Amino acid sequence: MDHVENTPLGEQGNMSRCFDLAQRAKGHTSPNPMVGAVLVYNDRIIGEGWHHYYGADHAEVNCLKNVAEADKHLISECTMYVNLEPCAHHGITPPCADRLVREKVKRVVIANKDPFEKVNGKGIDKLKEAGIEMTTGVLEKEGQWLNRRFFCFHQQKRPYIILKWAGSKDGFIAPADRSKIQITGPESQKLLHKWRTEEAAIMVGTTTAINDNPELTARLHEGKQPLRIVLDKDLRVPHTHHVYDGKAATWIINEQKEILLGNVHSVKMPFGEGLLPALMNRLYEARIFSVIVEGGSSLLNSFINAGLWDEARIFTGDVSIKDGIHAPILVNVVQAFTTLVGNDQLDVYVNNKSGYPYSSGMEL
């Protein structure tokens, strides 16, 4: 177990520690949530754990494994803090609720009930029936923010949608002639590639795919590659462009054909007003928990106009374009925070109607 500073933290402090542990696996647990667990005996932490990656042991199990041999006899007098309700069903791993019952943990404190239909209160009920004391709702909003992708997927039956763009300080995202211009610095570029490893999919429109010829990969940060999605109604993007290079699984959304060649899937769907909801449903069926929409202007505005977005991450570079394509304008927003990334400003907003509000001090 990592070194633990055993200063009494209190309920909220112990739950915050669960969040910190859970975040260590960001980008590796989907379709499972991020979960951390802390085992406390008389204000002393005797065990910690988190869910490292999908298919591996869950946080509660890792926490119990990390209890020192000399402390194992204390487990039945301990409180376990865990940010999400212990699972009650057999998946790749056995139910964590059963393990806690077997270990005779005295008390369990959670932030959130699990929205997954196979759990959804069943883990809490199982623990209560075994005589384990339960406390729920500790830092509940912070827990919802931490696992907002997981909650959105199970509650709204669609991926969590993040809009991202970079604009000049005078409000443009590209010159009028669509010529290439570097708006942001290298620090922002590296951060964007890190974000890509944390989301299940990345999406662009036809014009962006043709003019910018983006790779849509996370080549500047170690991690998994997101599914690449290109909206290309009439299949105008040349096959010599990067999106056809096979470096990552790719969906080409079009009206012409349905065919799978290697890991490039041409997905036939009717375009029009119903395209985005239908595409989100298709992604839900494919168990894609999140998508980051990177442009261009037309595609971003389509999501905004449909009210179909949860979070927006906007870089403002220290450049002026003077005449060009205007940056999208958000409505129904709450600003989460603003910060500097190198010489660029990063503003993060959440959709006021999304249902997953940002909690102060939490990470993206």
Side-chain angles (χ1 to χ4, degrees):
M1 184 176 73
D2 291 344
H3 173 72
V4 175
E5 189 66 42
N6 273 303
T7 302
L9 298 176
E11 281 199 343
Q12 293 193 357
N14 286 321
M15 190 58 71
S16 292
R17 179 60 181 167
C18 291
F19 297 157
D20 292 341
L21 293 167
Q23 291 268 15
R24 296 183 182 187
K26 185 185 291 183
H28 298 285
T29 63
S30 184
N32 284 352
M34 292 180 284
V35 183
V38 174
L39 193 65
V40 179
Y41 173 77
N42 287 348
D43 290 331
R44 179 168 70 91
I45 294 175
I46 67 168
E48 289 186 336
W50 68 95
H51 182 41
H52 289 235
Y53 56 88
Y54 177 65
D57 286 337
H58 288 188
E60 300 93 325
V61 174
N62 284 328
C63 179
L64 291 165
K65 282 182 176 179
N66 285 329
V67 176
E69 196 64 39
D71 287 332
K72 287 190 182 296
H73 69 286
L74 301 174
I75 291 175
S76 62
E77 295 298 317
C78 286
T79 296
M80 175 168 283
Y81 292 83
V82 58
N83 58 282
L84 195 70
E85 173 186 4
C87 62
H89 67 293
H90 283 271
I92 295 178
T93 59
C96 292
D98 289 356
R99 176 67 182 271
L100 297 181
V101 170
R102 288 200 308 274
E103 297 282 353
K104 299 180 180 179
V105 173
K106 183 178 181 180
R107 179 171 175 247
V108 175
V109 178
I110 67 170
N112 304 109
K113 186 168 79 168
D114 191 330
F116 181 39
E117 60 184 2
K118 290 185 178 180
V119 186
N120 197 23
K122 296 181 181 69
I124 293 172
D125 291 342
K126 186 173 284 191
L127 296 175
K128 284 182 176 179
E129 289 166 5
I132 295 174
E133 300 172 33
M134 287 294 308
T135 299
T136 62
V138 175
L139 297 184
E140 183 175 14
K141 289 183 178 179
E142 289 83 352
Q144 287 177 337
W145 175 259
L146 171 71
N147 277 310
R148 58 200 184 277
R149 299 161 183 83
F150 184 76
F151 279 92
C152 181
F153 185 85
H154 289 291
Q155 292 174 337
Q156 300 194 39
K157 310 301 181 187
R158 64 162 174 81
Y160 185 84
I161 301 167
I162 300 168
L163 308 181
K164 174 270 165 187
W165 68 85
S168 63
K169 58 187 179 183
D170 53 354
F172 299 100
I173 62 172
D177 62 2
R178 297 186 182 275
S179 59
K180 281 192 175 184
I181 180 173
Q182 190 63 48
I183 293 176
T184 57
E187 296 89 353
S188 296
Q189 291 296 308
K190 290 177 182 177
L191 179 58
L192 171 60
H193 283 236
K194 176 178 180 292
W195 289 346
R196 289 176 177 177
T197 69
E198 297 168 355
E199 309 307 333
I202 179 172
M203 184 185 301
V204 296
T206 310
T207 303
T208 298
I210 292 175
N211 290 350
D212 295 352
N213 189 16
E215 293 186 50
L216 303 180
T217 60
R219 58 198 177 277
L220 299 181
H221 190 86
E222 185 178 351
K224 66 177 180 59
Q225 301 295 340
L227 170 70
R228 303 185 293 192
I229 304 171
V230 180
L231 269 60
D232 186 13
K233 179 181 178 180
D234 299 314
L235 294 176
R236 295 193 292 117
V237 178
H239 281 236
T240 52
H241 274 37
H242 290 306
V243 292
Y244 284 100
D245 62 16
K247 290 182 179 178
T250 305
W251 284 13
I252 308 295
I253 312 300
N254 71 97
E255 278 194 335
Q256 310 301 315
K257 63 182 180 180
E258 179 94 24
I259 188 171
L260 176 63
L261 295 173
N263 61 357
V264 178
H265 187 184
S266 294
V267 179
K268 186 176 181 181
M269 297 184 71
F271 278 56
E273 288 187 7
L275 173 62
L276 293 183
L279 178 54
M280 293 305 105
N281 186 62
R282 184 92 179 233
L283 290 171
Y284 171 77
E285 291 173 347
R287 297 185 64 75
I288 300 298
F289 274 59
S290 63
V291 57
I292 184 165
V293 183
E294 292 202 14
S297 168
S298 178
L299 181 60
L300 288 163
N301 280 313
S302 294
F303 276 94
I304 293 169
N305 293 337
L308 193 59
W309 66 279
D310 300 289
E311 184 180 331
R313 304 176 183 179
I314 305 168
F315 289 107
T316 302
D318 190 23
V319 298
S320 294
I321 294 178
K322 297 181 181 179
D323 180 33
I325 300 168
H326 288 277
I329 297 175
L330 296 170
V331 295
N332 294 318
V333 300
V334 175
Q335 184 164 24
F337 64 88
T338 183
T339 189
L340 289 176
V341 181
N343 293 323
D344 306 324
Q345 180 173 313
L346 170 63
D347 294 287
V348 177
Y349 298 89
V350 293
N351 188 337
N352 201 29
K353 298 181 178 180
S354 165
Y356 309 103
Y358 172 74
S359 295
S360 179
M362 294 293 288
E363 295 183 24
L364 277 182

